[in-house]
Amino acid sequence: MRQERVRVLWNRIECSGYFRMGLTCHPDYARSKPGQFVMVRVTDRMNPLLRRPFSIHRLIRSEAGTVYGLEILYKVVGTGTERLAMCGKSDGLSLLGPLGRGFGLPEKPGTIFIVAGGIGVAPMCFLTETLREKGFDTSRCMVFIGGRSKDDLLCMNDFFTMGVQTLNITTDDGTAGEKDVVTGPLERAVRDRRPDLIYACGPLPMLRATSHIAGKYGIPCQISIETMMGCGMGACLGCAVAAAADPETYLHACVDGPVFNASDILI
């Protein structure tokens, strides 16, 4: 983990309300893992006071393969992200990271289901890219992306670029793909082609449903919790989640997660 002053490489509109930002970073980020996150401070002024957490969306490498930047994917939802959206190329930001516990990679090749809801797709691109770099056959990955509407569906073409051949799309309002929640086609696919592992990131109701499906069919499942964080280092205790083994024991998404085995927490 390091704190550094970084520059904006780009800040592009992905679609309505969503942005993709490139930032410079130290080469040590090459050791970061999918699912880890960074804390970004947009301004030196008091408002907003706290840093904002963002999943590492992907690493940016030179032609020689050296990491010199990272990308975050974000949705404008409040003062902090509104100010982030106004940043331009070469603007300075404060970056803290990489933080947290990332996804664990499979020990052997197999069928993998990747489930993302809305902005929860952000760490899944880094995950899929890492799987491919580690020699896993990403054509055996089935990806499920859900959103409230077509405007909340992100990065679909990115997965095809990384070798994924099967992409299932759902929207709550039916403006794209199937009119359903993303866990609907997920459970049907689990019944038809039981995967060896499920990865998921998205809103808590989606993660709760995904965890239930994984438990019902006895499938290992890793979920990345989306939650507000004050510090990112376990000091403020604002991102506590109850442990399944003992509901009176709490884990913290910023240091024990944000990735957990689905069976280890109560959500």
Side-chain angles (χ1 to χ4, degrees), residues 8 10-12 19-21 23 40-43 48 52-54 72-76 78-88 91-94:
V8 175
W10 56 76
N11 193 19
R12 302 166 181 158
F19 288 75
R20 187 189 294 252
M21 176 180 278
L23 298 169
V40 177
R41 186 174 174 90
V42 181
T43 174
R52 297 295 188 266
F54 300 98
I72 60 173
L73 191 68
Y74 66 95
K75 181 180 182 180
V76 177
T79 303
T81 45
E82 284 175 355
R83 295 196 173 178
L84 198 64
M86 292 187 290
C87 291
D91 283 351
L93 299 173
S94 178

Side-chain angles (χ1 to χ4, degrees), residues 91-108:
D91 283 351
L93 299 173
S94 178
L95 185 71
L96 179 68
L99 300 165
R101 174 179 174 268
F103 291 106
L105 299 185
E107 294 182 357
K108 58 182 180 180

